[in-house]
Amino acid sequence: MKGNPRHLGFSTRAIHAGQAPDPTTGAVTVPIYATSTYVHDELGHHKGYEYARVQNRTRAALEENVAALEGGHAGHAFASGMAAISCLMTVLKAGDHAVVSRNTYGGTYRYFTRVLERYDLHFSWVDTSDLAAVERAFTPATRMLYVETPTNPLMDVTDLAAAAELAHAHGARMAVDNTFLSPYLQRPIELGADFVVHSTTKFLNGHSDSLGGVLVSTTAEDAEWFALVQKSAGAILSPFEAFLNLRGIKTLAVRMDRHEANARAVVDFLVRHPAVERVLYPGLPEHPGHAVQKRQARGFGSMVTVDLGSFAAAKEMLDRLRVWSLAESLGGVESLASHPASMTHASIPPERRAELGLTDGMVRLSVGIEDVEDLLADLDQALAALVGARVAAAAR
Ligand SMILES: Cc1ncc(COP(=O)(O)O)c(C=O)c1O
């Protein structure tokens, strides 16, 4: 298309933002600019590109694209979601304090507690769905409120507009990890967030074939700082991975609709199943975050957590699945099942997991976009064994 699509609809932006036809050939798809350096026309004159750690056209297209989808000022792309989070945290200085959602991704918890605390940064882990608890956690040194919503795997939902207001009233800025819902379902910047981070590894790329991260900022000053950190620390996304992400994002809207439709059918099945003790999904009217998420997001996503009551039951189900794959990660077209306590959240000490309510019987489902009948039939056969075992145990 011609012109800037920033004011156009979500899918139009997903397909066109940052992706004007290639000026050399007119190629409709942004090429993979596989080059480490760029020729200068003459000393002191170049085309705006000097060295690929600093500028790469394919990466720049993805950065503009995600910034346009999130409604931010600029984006910066990194080699992983964790690299994006680590760039974000450079806005803090020694002595600063951050209030963080208590149930973030385990890798974020590990990075903050085992790495950043060595540099005199301080963290309070709070249930950010409880705004009074958030308010109590602020100190005069608090500079950031870091939120994941819904959380992983407990599905705590935070009221983003109210949380941003609180953060700003206390002189802090709010960062949101929007990986679980993607900008199609939730746009934190429109609700007051100052920063959004993504593991593009998940829904944005959507095909489980690339690792990456994007950090979206809302001011020119922050964007300038992140560009400096990006080129200085160098954890950039490669042009090939940027290309995969651009390709994945073009179908984000249709994928998310299908992910969510399948998730609703899976949840309907699970809530009725006798082997399932509890289903955590914000789309259920009885979920404590249901009303907030309904208000602040376009949908409820496709991440579902089930509690089967014990490690043995979780293992039995996971070992029996055939269409669903037992694997870490989420957000790909294929359905995945994982065991948070021993996989994604293993770096959280057992006593802390117990405090959070993250049990050994929990299984996290990332509902893919396969034929839903096949997903349901597979769950049915995997859970049937548990019902049999329960009946036998009760009879003994
Ligand atoms: C919510 C969330 N944020 C961040 C990350 C880290 O992303 P990456 O694995 O791309 O470094 C993950 C990874 O699972 C995640 O689930």
Side-chain angles (χ1 to χ4, degrees), residues 112-305:
F112 289 6
T113 55
R114 295 189 53 194
V115 180
L116 295 185
E117 283 187 356
R118 287 165 56 108
Y119 298 93
D120 198 25
L121 296 180
H122 306 272
F123 300 95
S124 294
W125 300 87
V126 173
D127 175 2
T128 51
S129 64
D130 176 355
L131 292 170
V134 174
E135 179 137 44
R136 281 195 302 276
F138 283 109
T139 74
T142 308
R143 296 286 169 268
M144 184 185 283
L145 172 61
Y146 183 103
V147 175
E148 254 182 55
T149 180
T151 62
N152 167 13
L154 297 174
M155 306 291 164
D156 296 333
V157 173
T158 296
D159 181 334
L160 289 174
E165 220 170 276
L166 269 183
H168 296 154
H170 287 81
R173 293 193 290 169
M174 184 166 85
V176 178
D177 182 332
N178 203 27
T179 300
F180 255 42
L181 289 184
S182 90
Y184 178 64
L185 294 180
Q186 175 170 276
R187 284 186 292 284
I189 289 170
E190 290 174 5
L191 299 165
D194 302 278
F195 309 106
V196 165
V197 280
H198 276 282
S199 167
T200 60
T201 314
K202 313 297 188 309
F203 289 100
L204 285 182
N205 181 58
H207 293 74
S208 305
D209 52 9
S210 155
L211 216 69
V214 173
L215 168 56
V216 179
S217 47
T218 52
T219 69
E221 196 185 345
D222 287 322
E224 221 172 278
W225 171 253
F226 292 142
L228 176 73
V229 176
Q230 187 187 41
K231 77 175 173 188
S232 305
I236 50 160
L237 190 69
S238 78
F240 178 65
E241 310 279 339
F243 166 82
L244 285 178
N245 275 285
L246 285 166
R247 183 181 160 124
I249 289 170
K250 287 182 208 280
T251 57
L252 181 66
V254 287
R255 279 190 287 110
M256 293 310 289
D257 284 340
R258 173 69 172 257
H259 275 296
E260 180 151 337
N262 280 2
R264 283 173 179 273
V266 164
V267 167
D268 271 358
F269 168 82
L270 291 171
V271 291
R272 292 196 188 100
H273 201 284
V276 172
E277 285 200 352
R278 206 154 58 111
V279 180
L280 305 181
Y281 182 65
L284 287 169
E286 62 271 27
H287 186 283
H290 178 75
V292 171
Q293 186 153 333
K294 198 169 169 186
R295 192 172 67 231
Q296 72 183 9
R298 185 201 280 242
F300 298 99
S302 61
M303 299 304 299
V304 181
T305 301

Side-chain angles (χ1 to χ4, degrees), residues 29-60:
T29 301
V30 176
I32 302 171
Y33 282 84
T35 185
S36 60
T37 192
Y38 307 87
V39 170
H40 294 216
D41 299 329
E42 61 181 80
L43 198 59
H45 285 279
H46 55 71
K47 297 181 165 59
Y49 294 87
E50 297 150 278
Y51 186 63
R53 175 159 32 77
V54 188
Q55 309 104 343
N56 179 277
R57 181 69 194 91
T58 324
R59 192 178 83 221

